[in-house]
mmCIF file of all heavy atoms in Angstrom:
data_model
loop_
_atom_site.group_PDB
_atom_site.id
_atom_site.type_symbol
_atom_site.label_atom_id
_atom_site.label_comp_id
_atom_site.label_asym_id
_atom_site.label_seq_id
_atom_site.Cartn_x
_atom_site.Cartn_y
_atom_site.Cartn_z
ATOM 1 N N TRP A 60 75.021 -69.871 -112.604
ATOM 2 C CA TRP A 60 74.529 -68.747 -113.397
ATOM 3 C C TRP A 60 73.065 -68.923 -113.793
ATOM 4 O O TRP A 60 72.315 -67.929 -113.785
ATOM 5 C CB TRP A 60 75.446 -68.471 -114.602
ATOM 6 C CG TRP A 60 76.791 -68.033 -114.125
ATOM 7 C CD1 TRP A 60 77.986 -68.642 -114.332
ATOM 8 C CD2 TRP A 60 77.082 -66.905 -113.298
ATOM 9 N NE1 TRP A 60 78.994 -67.984 -113.682
ATOM 10 C CE2 TRP A 60 78.467 -66.899 -113.037
ATOM 11 C CE3 TRP A 60 76.308 -65.896 -112.733
ATOM 12 C CZ2 TRP A 60 79.073 -65.925 -112.258
ATOM 13 C CZ3 TRP A 60 76.920 -64.931 -111.950
ATOM 14 C CH2 TRP A 60 78.295 -64.960 -111.724
ATOM 15 N N PRO A 61 72.582 -70.120 -114.110
ATOM 16 C CA PRO A 61 71.140 -70.256 -114.355
ATOM 17 C C PRO A 61 70.301 -69.876 -113.127
ATOM 18 O O PRO A 61 69.211 -69.289 -113.270
ATOM 19 C CB PRO A 61 70.966 -71.741 -114.705
ATOM 20 C CG PRO A 61 72.282 -72.130 -115.280
ATOM 21 C CD PRO A 61 73.304 -71.346 -114.476
ATOM 22 N N THR A 62 70.799 -70.173 -111.941
ATOM 23 C CA THR A 62 70.096 -69.808 -110.711
ATOM 24 C C THR A 62 70.068 -68.282 -110.552
ATOM 25 O O THR A 62 69.037 -67.712 -110.201
ATOM 26 C CB THR A 62 70.746 -70.481 -109.488
ATOM 27 O OG1 THR A 62 70.719 -71.891 -109.678
ATOM 28 C CG2 THR A 62 70.027 -70.114 -108.207
ATOM 29 N N VAL A 63 71.209 -67.646 -110.811
ATOM 30 C CA VAL A 63 71.268 -66.179 -110.738
ATOM 31 C C VAL A 63 70.283 -65.578 -111.728
ATOM 32 O O VAL A 63 69.519 -64.654 -111.392
ATOM 33 C CB VAL A 63 72.708 -65.675 -111.010
ATOM 34 C CG1 VAL A 63 72.744 -64.157 -111.190
ATOM 35 C CG2 VAL A 63 73.643 -66.110 -109.880
ATOM 36 N N ARG A 64 70.261 -66.101 -112.948
ATOM 37 C CA ARG A 64 69.343 -65.583 -113.983
ATOM 38 C C ARG A 64 67.875 -65.731 -113.542
ATOM 39 O O ARG A 64 67.064 -64.846 -113.790
ATOM 40 C CB ARG A 64 69.554 -66.312 -115.295
ATOM 41 C CG ARG A 64 70.865 -65.984 -115.966
ATOM 42 C CD ARG A 64 71.022 -66.793 -117.274
ATOM 43 N NE ARG A 64 72.340 -66.683 -117.831
ATOM 44 C CZ ARG A 64 72.821 -65.635 -118.494
ATOM 45 N NH1 ARG A 64 72.069 -64.576 -118.684
ATOM 46 N NH2 ARG A 64 74.061 -65.652 -118.965
ATOM 47 N N LYS A 65 67.582 -66.839 -112.914
ATOM 48 C CA LYS A 65 66.200 -67.139 -112.527
ATOM 49 C C LYS A 65 65.737 -66.328 -111.320
ATOM 50 O O LYS A 65 64.601 -65.842 -111.290
ATOM 51 C CB LYS A 65 66.078 -68.638 -112.221
ATOM 52 C CG LYS A 65 64.695 -69.079 -111.844
ATOM 53 C CD LYS A 65 64.665 -70.577 -111.602
ATOM 54 C CE LYS A 65 63.285 -71.017 -111.138
ATOM 55 N NZ LYS A 65 63.235 -72.439 -110.865
ATOM 56 N N LEU A 66 66.599 -66.167 -110.332
ATOM 57 C CA LEU A 66 66.169 -65.587 -109.053
ATOM 58 C C LEU A 66 66.449 -64.106 -108.876
ATOM 59 O O LEU A 66 65.715 -63.425 -108.144
ATOM 60 C CB LEU A 66 66.828 -66.346 -107.902
ATOM 61 C CG LEU A 66 66.478 -67.817 -107.744
ATOM 62 C CD1 LEU A 66 67.221 -68.418 -106.543
ATOM 63 C CD2 LEU A 66 64.982 -68.014 -107.580
ATOM 64 N N VAL A 67 67.513 -63.612 -109.454
ATOM 65 C CA VAL A 67 67.972 -62.247 -109.155
ATOM 66 C C VAL A 67 67.398 -61.260 -110.165
ATOM 67 O O VAL A 67 67.531 -61.469 -111.373
ATOM 68 C CB VAL A 67 69.516 -62.191 -109.174
ATOM 69 C CG1 VAL A 67 70.017 -60.774 -108.982
ATOM 70 C CG2 VAL A 67 70.101 -63.117 -108.126
ATOM 71 N N PRO A 68 66.791 -60.172 -109.668
ATOM 72 C CA PRO A 68 66.450 -59.104 -110.599
ATOM 73 C C PRO A 68 67.754 -58.621 -111.240
ATOM 74 O O PRO A 68 68.764 -58.528 -110.566
ATOM 75 C CB PRO A 68 65.844 -58.011 -109.709
ATOM 76 C CG PRO A 68 65.446 -58.720 -108.443
ATOM 77 C CD PRO A 68 66.402 -59.876 -108.290
ATOM 78 N N GLU A 69 67.732 -58.397 -112.507
ATOM 79 C CA GLU A 69 68.959 -58.031 -113.243
ATOM 80 C C GLU A 69 69.925 -59.209 -113.325
ATOM 81 O O GLU A 69 71.111 -59.028 -113.622
ATOM 82 C CB GLU A 69 69.669 -56.821 -112.611
ATOM 83 C CG GLU A 69 68.836 -55.569 -112.508
ATOM 84 C CD GLU A 69 68.741 -54.824 -113.820
ATOM 85 O OE1 GLU A 69 69.685 -54.868 -114.627
ATOM 86 O OE2 GLU A 69 67.690 -54.200 -114.049
ATOM 87 N N GLY A 70 69.440 -60.409 -113.041
ATOM 88 C CA GLY A 70 70.298 -61.601 -113.061
ATOM 89 C C GLY A 70 70.911 -61.875 -114.419
ATOM 90 O O GLY A 70 72.062 -62.292 -114.489
ATOM 91 N N ASP A 71 70.164 -61.615 -115.498
ATOM 92 C CA ASP A 71 70.717 -61.845 -116.829
ATOM 93 C C ASP A 71 71.925 -60.945 -117.073
ATOM 94 O O ASP A 71 72.945 -61.398 -117.579
ATOM 95 C CB ASP A 71 69.661 -61.596 -117.914
ATOM 96 C CG ASP A 71 68.658 -62.727 -118.020
ATOM 97 O OD1 ASP A 71 68.973 -63.866 -117.636
ATOM 98 O OD2 ASP A 71 67.530 -62.459 -118.507
ATOM 99 N N ARG A 72 71.797 -59.689 -116.691
ATOM 100 C CA ARG A 72 72.911 -58.741 -116.887
ATOM 101 C C ARG A 72 74.131 -59.157 -116.081
ATOM 102 O O ARG A 72 75.258 -59.180 -116.591
ATOM 103 C CB ARG A 72 72.464 -57.315 -116.519
ATOM 104 C CG ARG A 72 73.539 -56.258 -116.748
ATOM 105 C CD ARG A 72 73.066 -54.879 -116.305
ATOM 106 N NE ARG A 72 72.641 -54.835 -114.918
ATOM 107 C CZ ARG A 72 73.479 -54.797 -113.878
ATOM 108 N NH1 ARG A 72 74.786 -54.842 -114.074
ATOM 109 N NH2 ARG A 72 73.012 -54.746 -112.639
ATOM 110 N N LEU A 73 73.914 -59.504 -114.812
ATOM 111 C CA LEU A 73 75.028 -59.923 -113.953
ATOM 112 C C LEU A 73 75.686 -61.191 -114.499
ATOM 113 O O LEU A 73 76.915 -61.283 -114.586
ATOM 114 C CB LEU A 73 74.534 -60.157 -112.521
ATOM 115 C CG LEU A 73 74.062 -58.941 -111.742
ATOM 116 C CD1 LEU A 73 73.359 -59.360 -110.466
ATOM 117 C CD2 LEU A 73 75.233 -58.017 -111.455
ATOM 118 N N ALA A 74 74.864 -62.167 -114.866
ATOM 119 C CA ALA A 74 75.404 -63.435 -115.355
ATOM 120 C C ALA A 74 76.108 -63.249 -116.700
ATOM 121 O O ALA A 74 77.177 -63.832 -116.925
ATOM 122 C CB ALA A 74 74.282 -64.471 -115.475
ATOM 123 N N ASP A 75 75.531 -62.465 -117.592
ATOM 124 C CA ASP A 75 76.171 -62.246 -118.900
ATOM 125 C C ASP A 75 77.566 -61.667 -118.737
ATOM 126 O O ASP A 75 78.517 -62.106 -119.402
ATOM 127 C CB ASP A 75 75.332 -61.301 -119.770
ATOM 128 C CG ASP A 75 74.074 -61.944 -120.324
ATOM 129 O OD1 ASP A 75 73.945 -63.185 -120.265
ATOM 130 O OD2 ASP A 75 73.200 -61.186 -120.809
ATOM 131 N N HIS A 76 77.705 -60.696 -117.841
ATOM 132 C CA HIS A 76 79.017 -60.081 -117.610
ATOM 133 C C HIS A 76 80.008 -61.103 -117.073
ATOM 134 O O HIS A 76 81.149 -61.214 -117.555
ATOM 135 C CB HIS A 76 78.897 -58.895 -116.653
ATOM 136 C CG HIS A 76 80.183 -58.219 -116.361
ATOM 137 N ND1 HIS A 76 80.802 -57.355 -117.254
ATOM 138 C CD2 HIS A 76 81.015 -58.296 -115.288
ATOM 139 C CE1 HIS A 76 81.952 -56.938 -116.751
ATOM 140 N NE2 HIS A 76 82.105 -57.486 -115.552
ATOM 141 N N ALA A 77 79.580 -61.880 -116.084
ATOM 142 C CA ALA A 77 80.466 -62.869 -115.471
ATOM 143 C C ALA A 77 80.830 -63.974 -116.458
ATOM 144 O O ALA A 77 81.992 -64.405 -116.508
ATOM 145 C CB ALA A 77 79.796 -63.469 -114.236
ATOM 146 N N VAL A 78 79.870 -64.450 -117.218
ATOM 147 C CA VAL A 78 80.141 -65.519 -118.183
ATOM 148 C C VAL A 78 81.105 -65.032 -119.257
ATOM 149 O O VAL A 78 81.973 -65.792 -119.698
ATOM 150 C CB VAL A 78 78.817 -66.059 -118.792
ATOM 151 C CG1 VAL A 78 79.074 -66.951 -119.987
ATOM 152 C CG2 VAL A 78 78.015 -66.797 -117.721
ATOM 153 N N GLU A 79 81.009 -63.779 -119.641
ATOM 154 C CA GLU A 79 81.961 -63.245 -120.613
ATOM 155 C C GLU A 79 83.365 -63.166 -120.009
ATOM 156 O O GLU A 79 84.357 -63.470 -120.680
ATOM 157 C CB GLU A 79 81.519 -61.867 -121.113
ATOM 158 C CG GLU A 79 82.401 -61.311 -122.210
ATOM 159 C CD GLU A 79 82.588 -62.253 -123.403
ATOM 160 O OE1 GLU A 79 81.639 -62.936 -123.813
ATOM 161 O OE2 GLU A 79 83.744 -62.320 -123.918
ATOM 162 N N GLN A 80 83.473 -62.784 -118.740
ATOM 163 C CA GLN A 80 84.768 -62.792 -118.054
ATOM 164 C C GLN A 80 85.338 -64.222 -118.054
ATOM 165 O O GLN A 80 86.516 -64.427 -118.332
ATOM 166 C CB GLN A 80 84.635 -62.320 -116.604
ATOM 167 C CG GLN A 80 84.386 -60.856 -116.426
ATOM 168 C CD GLN A 80 84.201 -60.507 -114.952
ATOM 169 O OE1 GLN A 80 83.530 -61.219 -114.203
ATOM 170 N NE2 GLN A 80 84.794 -59.387 -114.537
ATOM 171 N N GLU A 81 84.493 -65.177 -117.736
ATOM 172 C CA GLU A 81 84.929 -66.574 -117.678
ATOM 173 C C GLU A 81 85.352 -67.079 -119.053
ATOM 174 O O GLU A 81 86.343 -67.803 -119.189
ATOM 175 C CB GLU A 81 83.802 -67.454 -117.109
ATOM 176 C CG GLU A 81 83.535 -67.189 -115.650
ATOM 177 C CD GLU A 81 82.266 -67.826 -115.132
ATOM 178 O OE1 GLU A 81 81.518 -68.454 -115.919
ATOM 179 O OE2 GLU A 81 82.012 -67.698 -113.924
ATOM 180 N N ARG A 82 84.606 -66.692 -120.074
ATOM 181 C CA ARG A 82 84.949 -67.116 -121.435
ATOM 182 C C ARG A 82 86.312 -66.586 -121.841
ATOM 183 O O ARG A 82 87.139 -67.304 -122.398
ATOM 184 C CB ARG A 82 83.863 -66.641 -122.408
ATOM 185 C CG ARG A 82 84.061 -67.148 -123.817
ATOM 186 C CD ARG A 82 82.840 -66.780 -124.667
ATOM 187 N NE ARG A 82 83.022 -67.263 -126.013
ATOM 188 C CZ ARG A 82 83.583 -66.575 -126.986
ATOM 189 N NH1 ARG A 82 84.035 -65.350 -126.741
ATOM 190 N NH2 ARG A 82 83.724 -67.079 -128.184
ATOM 191 N N SER A 83 86.575 -65.326 -121.540
ATOM 192 C CA SER A 83 87.887 -64.740 -121.846
ATOM 193 C C SER A 83 88.992 -65.486 -121.097
ATOM 194 O O SER A 83 90.049 -65.768 -121.669
ATOM 195 C CB SER A 83 87.917 -63.261 -121.466
ATOM 196 O OG SER A 83 87.027 -62.530 -122.252
ATOM 197 N N ALA A 84 88.739 -65.814 -119.840
ATOM 198 C CA ALA A 84 89.728 -66.544 -119.042
ATOM 199 C C ALA A 84 89.998 -67.923 -119.634
ATOM 200 O O ALA A 84 91.136 -68.401 -119.611
ATOM 201 C CB ALA A 84 89.252 -66.663 -117.606
ATOM 202 N N LYS A 85 88.962 -68.568 -120.159
ATOM 203 C CA LYS A 85 89.151 -69.895 -120.759
ATOM 204 C C LYS A 85 90.111 -69.841 -121.940
ATOM 205 O O LYS A 85 90.908 -70.770 -122.136
ATOM 206 C CB LYS A 85 87.810 -70.481 -121.209
ATOM 207 C CG LYS A 85 86.943 -70.950 -120.090
ATOM 208 C CD LYS A 85 85.658 -71.504 -120.689
ATOM 209 C CE LYS A 85 84.630 -71.772 -119.643
ATOM 210 N NZ LYS A 85 83.390 -72.287 -120.245
ATOM 211 N N PHE A 86 90.034 -68.791 -122.729
ATOM 212 C CA PHE A 86 90.958 -68.668 -123.867
ATOM 213 C C PHE A 86 92.391 -68.528 -123.363
ATOM 214 O O PHE A 86 93.307 -69.129 -123.916
ATOM 215 C CB PHE A 86 90.575 -67.488 -124.766
ATOM 216 C CG PHE A 86 89.462 -67.809 -125.726
ATOM 217 C CD1 PHE A 86 88.178 -67.385 -125.489
ATOM 218 C CD2 PHE A 86 89.720 -68.537 -126.876
ATOM 219 C CE1 PHE A 86 87.144 -67.687 -126.372
ATOM 220 C CE2 PHE A 86 88.706 -68.849 -127.778
ATOM 221 C CZ PHE A 86 87.407 -68.411 -127.514
ATOM 222 N N VAL A 87 92.573 -67.732 -122.315
ATOM 223 C CA VAL A 87 93.923 -67.557 -121.756
ATOM 224 C C VAL A 87 94.421 -68.882 -121.179
ATOM 225 O O VAL A 87 95.562 -69.293 -121.437
ATOM 226 C CB VAL A 87 93.935 -66.438 -120.685
ATOM 227 C CG1 VAL A 87 95.282 -66.374 -119.974
ATOM 228 C CG2 VAL A 87 93.587 -65.095 -121.297
#
Side-chain angles (χ1 to χ4, degrees):
W60 296 118
T62 302
V63 170
R64 290 178 190 284
K65 181 178 176 181
L66 297 180
V67 175
E69 302 281 329
D71 284 336
R72 182 182 56 77
L73 293 169
D75 287 346
H76 180 77
V78 168
E79 185 53 40
Q80 287 177 318
E81 291 168 357
R82 185 172 180 270
S83 295
K85 286 180 190 179
F86 279 102
V87 173

